[in-house]
Amino acid sequence: MSKLLLDVKNLVTEFKTDGGIVKAVNDVSFTLNKGETIGIVGESGSGKSVTSLSIMRLIPNPPGRIAGGQILYNSRDGKQVDLAQIPDKDMRHYRGNEIAMIFQEPMTSLNPVFTCGNQVMEAILLHQKVSKQEAKDITLKMFEKVRLPNPQRILEAYPHQLSGGQKQRVMIAMAMSCNPSILIADEPTTALDVTVQKTILDLMYQLKHEIDSAIMFITHDLGVIAEIADKVLVMYKGRIVEQGTVLEIFSNPKHPYTKSLLACRPPLGKRLSKLPTVVDFMRENPDGSIEELNTSVEDAINAVVIDQSITDKRREELMKQEPILQVQNLKTWFPTKKDFFGKTTDYVKAVDDVSFNVYPGETLGLVGESGCGKTTLGRTILRLAPATEGKIIYKGKDLLALSNKEMMDVRKNLQIIFQDPYSSLNPRITIGDAIMEPMTVHGVYSNEKERKDKVIELLTKVNMKPEFFYRYPHEFSGGQRQRICIARALALNPQFIICDESVSALDVSVQAQVLNLLIELREEFKFTYIFISHDLSVVKFMSDRMVVMNRGKIEEMGSSDEIYNNPQKEYTQKLIAAIPKGELSDIQKRVALAAK
């Protein structure tokens, strides 16, 4: 049998919508060889996930269907089958057995009412002729292989009892349990910390070699692609606009869209005033054709590089002022165990004796892995989580000493932008009403007309159209919803905004637009930000100073550039080492090593 495993020819997948037929995948062709990792990259809506679901025959019909093309798979028994044409009962033999898939969100992919062990055993019993005890033994071995701590405990644990990284490893164990020829990984690391992400990438690379399989790795992050892929497909609006080896794509991108994806990740070695975006590289004409603006990645980045002395001077000027916020010996502990008499005997110390100042107009970055306490710290500052001890002094007032009524008066100056814009917007009210609601609660402006005018002004400010006022949250993309949440945070003219992982779920190109918007708004309205993220490259781009948190405590604090260029603590060094940098020299070394 040849090395060719999968040959996708002129694939078309379409969906019937109220507005007509949408071709989500339009004339897509590529090949996948044994032992190869192919990276499929593009923004949300580019068709990359629909391509993978088409191969797995998981397109819901109606409204979707594979409308054309072939998906030729060379199976283990030497037969070539067209996965687009075979009956459903035949497809069940290949799906999960010879072709397996890891989905983006493990919490929604795992059944909450069954133990993790049961769910992996079910896949093994379905495809392999083994007893229940043998399936249990295989599951335990797989849990060991994916380096899950205490495999026996996880065998009996339910999904909600595991962290995000652990759940993703359970999904990998399930996908690899039948030694598939092809593993499709759909955004498997998007919501994970950089350190957990690195572990997952290393694990997939190792398992691929152990069972000699091929991987289709789908992501919007070219930095991750640089770490793992041999070949790259770049998708845009349902089509492949560019494909080649990982070295070709990174050293000499041809399509303006590929150039924009490479440029809009925050670079670690330079300080930029703004991030390049798709519009810096291409213009889409009304007929759908793309006009290239002939801008190189280097030119786009060099045009916005800030001199280090300007950055240092800005920070020095900020720190000459009186702090707008002083956090002193703050503790937020959650009780976990009680004795026979109901007295608490053990705590989770989410925030443990944390102290720092924030200066007017400054952006202070809070960075660390999931569970380090950064989100709890942000919520405690706003009194959305109860503090156990300490002081939070905002403009001379200790927020912890204020009554609820006094806090209500202060609260309009303190706002938060949450991580998930969809769950923080009420699906039953229009976005215009959602933005206007805090104005009504706090009695800002004298009547509804003035408030509505202000909402339309805010929508325009965040690059949204005035007519969007009457639309509902589900009618917008993730990036648009996040802009709506930013507009809502601005509704009360606040002075202090906490951004809690506010760009972590966004595509890199949309992320660049939102980060640029936050910086523009800071300069225009003189906001002060606390910017919380697990992505150190984003925090470095946004922040004047950075606080690195670990297990509820501050590991390290200083200017963003100092911490990145000269980290003092081992934990910070580990965080920086785990960032997928997408450096050409690193790709060249990896490719040369693989060729030996």
Side-chain angles (χ1 to χ4, degrees):
M1 193 175 76
S2 80
K3 282 177 65 180
L4 183 67
L5 271 178
L6 192 70
D7 188 1
V8 176
K9 293 182 174 180
N10 311 108
L11 180 65
V12 177
T13 304
E14 60 186 32
F15 290 85
K16 191 180 279 186
T17 70
D18 293 341
I21 299 293
V22 173
K23 288 187 178 178
V25 174
N26 193 358
D27 198 26
V28 161
S29 300
F30 64 91
T31 58
L32 178 64
N33 296 316
K34 200 171 184 180
E36 187 174 54
T37 298
I38 191 167
I40 304 182
V41 71
E43 295 171 283
S44 293
S46 64
K48 55 192 191 300
S49 289
V50 177
T51 301
S52 68
L53 291 170
S54 300
I55 292 165
M56 293 291 286
R57 283 273 297 275
L58 291 173
I59 298 293
N61 184 1
R65 70 183 187 108
I66 296 172
Q70 294 175 295
I71 306 166
L72 303 175
Y73 169 62
N74 291 318
S75 65
R76 284 179 191 150
D77 58 13
K79 288 182 196 165
Q80 187 179 75
V81 291
D82 184 355
L83 301 179
Q85 299 294 333
I86 60 173
D88 285 344
K89 64 180 176 61
D90 293 347
M91 187 63 207
R92 279 195 285 272
H93 164 74
Y94 298 107
R95 189 192 297 127
N97 183 22
E98 294 193 30
I99 306 172
M101 189 161 181
I102 306 164
F103 294 94
Q104 178 173 354
E105 181 41 73
M107 195 62 216
T108 53
S109 307
L110 291 168
N111 191 323
V113 300
F114 291 105
T115 65
C116 295
N118 265 332
Q119 296 185 60
V120 179
M121 283 165 63
E122 183 186 24
I124 295 166
L125 289 166
L126 184 68
H127 294 293
Q128 298 181 45
K129 291 175 182 174
V130 295
S131 68
K132 201 166 183 183
Q133 184 56 48
E134 286 171 316
K136 188 175 181 179
D137 294 341
I138 293 168
T139 301
L140 276 169
K141 276 182 191 161
M142 286 309 303
F143 283 176
E144 284 167 17
K145 256 187 182 175
V146 298
R147 299 201 284 278
L148 276 164
N150 196 343
Q152 187 64 52
R153 181 188 74 82
I154 286 174
L155 196 77
E156 307 298 327
Y158 289 88
H160 72 272
Q161 295 173 305
L162 307 184
S163 71
Q166 287 173 336
K167 283 195 283 270
Q168 199 58 286
R169 287 181 213 202
V170 170
M171 288 295 297
I172 292 172
M174 190 189 296
M176 304 299 270
S177 61
C178 296
N179 297 335
S181 300
I182 299 173
L183 177 66
I184 300 173
D186 186 7
E187 303 261 16
T189 61
T190 297
L192 302 179
D193 303 327
V194 283
T195 47
V196 179
Q197 173 177 273
K198 189 171 191 324
T199 308
I200 297 289
L201 294 178
D202 291 346
L203 176 62
M204 289 175 68
Y205 182 80
Q206 180 193 330
L207 292 173
K208 179 186 87 166
H209 286 282
E210 273 181 26
I211 65 171
D212 198 21
S213 65
I215 293 178
M216 269 178 63
F217 195 97
I218 296 162
T219 182
H220 62 253
D221 189 344
L222 272 162
V224 172
I225 290 287
E227 301 268 313
I228 196 168
D230 305 306
K231 197 161 73 181
V232 183
L233 310 180
V234 182
M235 290 192 72
Y236 179 71
K237 293 198 171 176
R239 293 183 180 272
I240 294 173
V241 293
E242 187 164 0
Q243 62 178 300
T245 68
V246 66
L247 206 50
E248 287 166 353
I249 295 292
F250 276 80
S251 61
N252 189 22
K254 298 282 197 298
H255 197 276
Y257 181 65
T258 313
K259 292 177 187 176
S260 72
L261 284 182
L262 283 166
C264 62
R265 293 181 74 250
L268 285 158
K270 295 171 179 156
R271 170 71 71 169
L272 307 186
S273 58
K274 61 171 271 208
L275 289 169
T277 60
V278 175
V279 295
D280 294 311
F281 293 88
M282 58 187 254
R283 184 185 296 119
E284 196 165 327
N285 298 314
D287 63 356
S289 63
I290 288 165
E291 187 180 336
E292 185 169 359
L293 301 181
N294 291 316
T295 311
S296 74
V297 173
E298 291 76 19
D299 288 346
I301 289 173
N302 290 336
V304 288
V305 170
I306 307 173
D307 188 83
Q308 187 62 48
S309 61
I310 295 170
T311 306
D312 293 341
K313 190 176 179 189
R314 172 187 150 81
R315 192 173 58 256
E316 284 165 20
E317 290 299 320
L318 288 170
M319 293 178 73
K320 283 178 185 172
Q321 307 170 90
E322 280 293 310
I324 191 171
L325 181 80
Q326 295 166 280
V327 175
Q328 297 173 357
N329 309 107
L330 188 64
K331 294 179 182 177
T332 307
W333 294 4
F334 298 104
T336 55
K337 280 185 189 172
K338 295 191 176 184
D339 63 15
F340 181 76
F341 300 102
K343 187 181 175 186
T344 302
T345 57
D346 201 7
Y347 295 89
V348 168
K349 297 179 180 180
V351 178
D352 194 17
D353 200 23
V354 163
S355 300
F356 61 87
N357 293 339
V358 187
Y359 297 89
E362 180 184 31
T363 299
L364 181 77
L366 266 182
V367 71
E369 297 171 288
S370 290
C372 72
K374 56 190 188 297
T375 290
T376 304
L377 174 56
R379 292 173 68 86
T380 305
I381 289 167
L382 296 180
R383 277 188 41 182
L384 297 174
T388 307
E389 204 176 289
K391 289 184 176 181
I392 302 165
I393 298 167
Y394 174 74
K395 289 191 155 185
K397 289 180 181 176
D398 183 358
L399 300 185
L400 299 180
L402 299 181
S403 67
N404 288 340
K405 187 179 182 308
E406 289 169 323
M407 188 64 199
M408 179 84 162
D409 293 334
V410 176
R411 203 176 281 286
K412 62 184 171 190
N413 288 323
L414 307 167
Q415 291 293 314
I416 186 166
I417 304 165
F418 293 101
Q419 176 173 358
D420 181 359
Y422 195 68
S423 61
S424 58
L425 289 168
N426 187 332
R428 294 178 181 174
I429 65 172
T430 65
I431 62 122
D433 286 336
I435 297 167
M436 199 153 58
E437 186 179 37
M439 298 181 193
T440 309
V441 168
H442 286 277
V444 177
Y445 304 108
S446 52
N447 57 52
E448 289 291 293
K449 186 186 180 304
E450 282 185 20
R451 289 176 195 135
K452 186 179 174 183
D453 290 345
K454 181 64 179 175
V455 171
I456 288 168
E457 183 191 318
L458 287 169
L459 284 171
T460 309
K461 187 69 70 184
V462 297
N463 302 322
M464 302 282 278
K465 293 176 182 171
E467 57 264 33
F468 290 173
F469 184 99
Y470 298 102
R471 291 192 188 172
Y472 290 85
H474 73 272
E475 298 179 76
F476 297 95
S477 69
Q480 287 175 319
R481 283 197 287 263
Q482 200 56 285
R483 287 167 189 270
I484 292 160
C485 289
I486 291 169
R488 186 176 59 179
L490 302 180
L492 298 175
N493 300 319
Q495 295 163 327
F496 193 99
I497 298 176
I498 294 178
C499 304
D500 184 10
E501 299 272 15
S502 53
V503 295
S504 63
L506 303 179
D507 299 330
V508 281
S509 54
V510 179
Q511 174 182 280
Q513 293 165 18
V514 172
L515 292 176
N516 287 343
L517 173 64
L518 289 169
I519 285 177
E520 285 166 23
L521 294 170
R522 182 186 70 188
E523 300 311 309
E524 184 177 346
F525 295 105
K526 307 298 179 213
F527 291 140
T528 305
Y529 289 133
I530 288 182
F531 193 90
I532 300 169
S533 178
H534 62 253
D535 187 336
L536 203 139
S537 59
V538 168
V539 171
K540 181 180 177 291
F541 167 71
M542 281 295 295
S543 307
D544 300 292
R545 288 186 304 137
M546 194 188 292
V547 172
V548 181
M549 282 190 74
N550 181 25
R551 296 184 181 180
K553 292 183 178 288
I554 291 176
E555 281 276 336
E556 200 164 343
M557 181 163 38
S559 86
S560 301
D561 298 297
E562 278 168 12
I563 284 184
Y564 175 71
N565 294 321
N566 189 24
Q568 299 300 303
K569 297 291 183 75
E570 189 183 335
Y571 177 77
T572 315
Q573 290 163 6
K574 187 179 79 167
L575 274 184
I576 291 167
I579 300 168
K581 298 175 180 68
E583 300 279 340
L584 195 55
S585 56
D586 293 340
I587 298 167
Q588 286 166 333
K589 280 179 205 164
R590 181 169 70 81
V591 170
L593 204 64
K596 284 181 182 176

